[in-house]
Amino acid sequence: MNKTLSLFELNTVVAELIQTAMPQSYWIEAEVSEARESRGHLYLELIQKEEGTNTPIARASAKCWRSTWSLIAPYFMRVTGTQVRAGLQLMVQVHAQFHPQYGFSWIVDDINPEFTMGDMARKRQEIIRQLKAEGVFDLQKELKIPMFAQHIAVISSASAAGYGDFCNQLADNEHGFVFTTELFEATMQGEQVERSIIQALNAINGREEEFDCVVIIRGGGATADLSGFDTLALAENVANFPLPIITGIGHERDESVLDMVSNRRVKTPTAAAAFLIDNLLSVLSLIEEAQTVVHRTVKNRILMEDMRIQRLSSQIPVLFSMVKTRHEAMLESLLASLEKGMMGLLADCNLRLEVLNGKIVPSVEWRLLQEKHRLEMLAQRAEGLNPGRMLKLGYSITYHKGHVLRNAASVKGGEELTTLLENGEIKSVVK
């Protein structure tokens, strides 16, 4: 009868075998299905999906110990602008570990943030491409902010400092304009951003006639928090929304897909408030200018008619009373017609201004977006052709007689090969 082993002895043998057979680290590409931190350690669940579907074909657990994660985490955040979270594609360097007590695990030695950043950019461009293919990317730009936009639906977190600043700036504006705001509370960071904002938009849509526009704001925060605003479902909801939407969710250098499809993007919540105040101020200026023109025109016409009446009355003293009454009635009629004509002229001018503004702004923005996209694509193509980048990703290049080796059959025994790595090169002889 063969000698029996205890579980600990068996696991120890397995641990030694794995350590002997797999002593090195491996670079792998995988999607994060779950990520959590505990006591400074990072615990990951990694999956690989079948191409073109969401069906997982491989799963694995991985751990990044605190001593390593404390170095990787800040660098990853600085390069990608986001935290390690579910849904991200990672390039991870791991080594195998089998512990007699805790079993098998992949231990994370390093994470390549450039790989994740490229994947995020690709997903973002895919969302933009799909929105344009659906014909909804510029729908919001076709809506006009009402001239008297005073009833505002606000989507924000109630506790956000930016929301308080927005309301205070509207309420305390120096022109005395009166605005009414209603908060539709939503989560503005984390994984619940998409679902929360869509729920708020649905609530506003049910009361569309009560509002002039929608403002989506948050109180600053890190660039990482903007990842929740780069989703296809949220962008489609905003693009198809019947009211114009103003976004103030980031800083000058950060532009999310949500910003791109909104009617107007401003930097901060206070900038959104300033825009609404300036909108009313421009309307007030038009009204005051129109009042001045009407008053001056009517006054000049009245003076001219008064002089004519006086001249006629002096020539026909006997009919003075009758003529005066007749002309006074005529003046009143002319004044009414003049006021009506001026109001119609003002309405036509305002309409022409709105039409011209609607044609110019989208064309300029569209051209800027096209050029920006073209530059990004050229940069990505140039980066993809850089041999140094492939070496940094762990690939190597082997030379035979001064030329890149492409076919193993072209090498004979005893011939020397040179393998170029990221740091240095290796000489080898074919047996």
Side-chain angles (χ1 to χ4, degrees):
M1 180 177 179
N2 293 331
K3 178 185 175 182
T4 60
L5 299 175
S6 68
L7 179 60
F8 178 79
E9 291 173 332
L10 179 61
N11 282 356
T12 301
V13 171
V14 173
E16 292 174 352
L17 288 173
I18 289 178
Q19 185 175 3
T20 302
M22 305 176 68
Q24 73 271 32
S25 295
Y26 304 88
W27 281 101
I28 63 169
E29 298 176 9
E31 179 180 333
V32 180
S33 64
E34 183 180 339
R36 62 183 178 86
E37 289 190 46
S38 177
R39 299 180 180 178
H41 310 299
L42 176 66
Y43 296 89
L44 297 172
E45 291 295 326
L46 303 175
I47 61 173
Q48 178 182 346
K49 296 178 179 177
E50 186 177 7
E51 188 173 354
T53 72
N54 287 322
T55 304
I57 59 174
R59 293 180 182 272
S61 297
K63 303 179 180 70
C64 187
W65 302 126
R66 179 170 51 202
S67 58
T68 303
W69 179 236
S70 63
L71 300 175
I72 294 175
Y75 179 63
F76 187 89
M77 171 71 78
R78 186 166 62 253
V79 173
T80 65
T82 188
Q83 301 171 340
V84 173
R85 55 180 172 79
L88 286 184
Q89 291 286 338
L90 296 183
M91 178 179 285
V92 188
Q93 186 182 39
V94 296
H95 69 269
Q97 183 183 82
F98 189 91
H99 193 280
Q101 182 177 357
Y102 302 108
F104 181 85
S105 292
W106 289 109
I107 304 302
V108 176
D109 299 322
D110 199 2
I111 300 177
N112 185 346
E114 286 82 5
F115 175 84
T116 301
M117 192 172 183
D119 183 71
M120 291 169 61
R122 181 191 61 76
K123 289 181 178 178
R124 194 181 200 199
Q125 290 303 317
E126 178 59 24
I127 291 174
I128 294 172
R129 186 201 64 75
Q130 187 165 343
L131 291 171
K132 290 180 178 179
E134 294 171 1
V136 301
F137 189 82
D138 291 316
L139 284 183
Q140 269 284 314
K141 303 297 189 298
E142 298 175 7
L143 301 178
K144 304 299 180 213
I145 303 291
M147 295 180 66
F148 297 93
Q150 294 174 277
H151 304 285
I152 317 299
V154 183
I155 298 178
S156 180
S157 169
S159 59
Y163 170 64
D165 294 340
F166 174 83
C167 293
N168 290 336
Q169 186 160 341
L170 287 184
D172 300 332
N173 71 87
E174 61 180 340
H175 308 288
F177 299 145
V178 178
F179 295 88
T180 60
T181 61
E182 183 173 345
L183 174 65
F184 291 82
E185 191 168 0
T187 300
M188 303 306 288
Q189 61 181 12
E191 297 181 0
Q192 300 301 316
V193 169
E194 178 191 88
R195 181 184 61 82
S196 183
I197 294 181
I198 290 176
Q199 287 180 346
L201 288 172
N202 289 338
I204 297 170
N205 192 37
R207 300 165 52 194
E208 173 192 348
E209 67 281 356
E210 299 178 28
F211 303 104
D212 298 315
C213 64
V214 179
V215 175
I216 302 177
I217 54 177
R218 68 170 193 150
T223 304
D225 294 335
L226 291 175
S227 59
F229 301 95
D230 285 334
T231 70
L232 178 61
L234 180 56
E236 287 176 335
N237 272 268
V238 169
N240 288 286
F241 203 75
L243 294 176
I245 294 178
I246 302 168
T247 57
I249 58 175
H251 304 290
E252 183 68 42
R253 62 185 179 84
D254 304 320
E255 185 177 34
S256 65
V257 175
L258 180 63
D259 288 322
M260 296 179 187
V261 300
S262 65
N263 181 276
R264 180 174 292 269
R265 178 245 180 169
V266 295
K267 294 184 290 185
T268 61
T270 53
F275 170 77
L276 292 170
I277 294 170
D278 289 342
N279 183 64
L280 274 188
L281 184 60
S282 64
V283 174
L284 177 61
S285 298
L286 289 175
I287 294 174
E288 290 176 343
E289 183 179 348
Q291 287 177 333
T292 301
V293 172
V294 171
H295 181 268
R296 183 172 60 248
T297 303
V298 172
K299 183 178 180 180
N300 291 339
R301 184 63 180 270
I302 290 175
L303 288 174
M304 291 174 59
E305 292 299 326
D306 185 62
M307 292 172 61
R308 190 165 71 90
I309 290 172
Q310 290 181 15
R311 186 171 62 254
L312 290 174
S313 63
S314 64
Q315 294 174 359
I316 314 173
V318 178
L319 301 177
F320 175 80
S321 297
M322 182 175 60
V323 172
K324 181 180 179 181
T325 301
R326 185 190 308 161
H327 280 81
E328 286 178 345
M330 182 173 58
L331 282 175
E332 292 180 358
S333 176
L334 287 172
L335 178 60
S337 299
L338 183 60
E339 290 179 347
K340 181 178 180 182
M342 290 302 297
M343 293 305 293
L345 179 60
L346 286 174
D348 291 340
C349 290
N350 285 333
L351 180 59
R352 288 185 61 197
L353 286 174
E354 291 180 358
V355 170
L356 289 174
N357 184 60
K359 290 180 178 179
I360 294 173
V361 174
S363 298
V364 173
E365 292 179 345
W366 171 246
R367 183 59 181 271
L368 288 175
L369 284 174
Q370 280 186 319
E371 293 302 317
K372 179 180 178 182
H373 176 68
R374 187 173 69 84
L375 289 175
E376 289 175 350
M377 294 301 294
L378 289 174
Q380 289 178 6
R381 187 178 302 169
E383 178 64 18
L385 297 174
N386 183 2
R389 177 176 177 270
M390 301 305 294
L391 293 177
K392 289 182 180 180
L393 292 177
Y395 293 95
S396 63
I397 303 175
T398 301
Y399 292 89
H400 175 230
K401 296 181 178 180
H403 300 285
V404 175
L405 179 61
R406 303 180 183 277
N407 187 355
S410 64
V411 182
K412 299 179 181 179
E415 291 184 330
E416 185 180 81
L417 302 179
T418 301
T419 302
L420 182 63
L421 306 173
E422 178 185 2
N423 296 310
E425 61 181 35
I426 299 173
K427 302 287 187 176
S428 59
V429 176
V430 178
K431 291 184 178 180

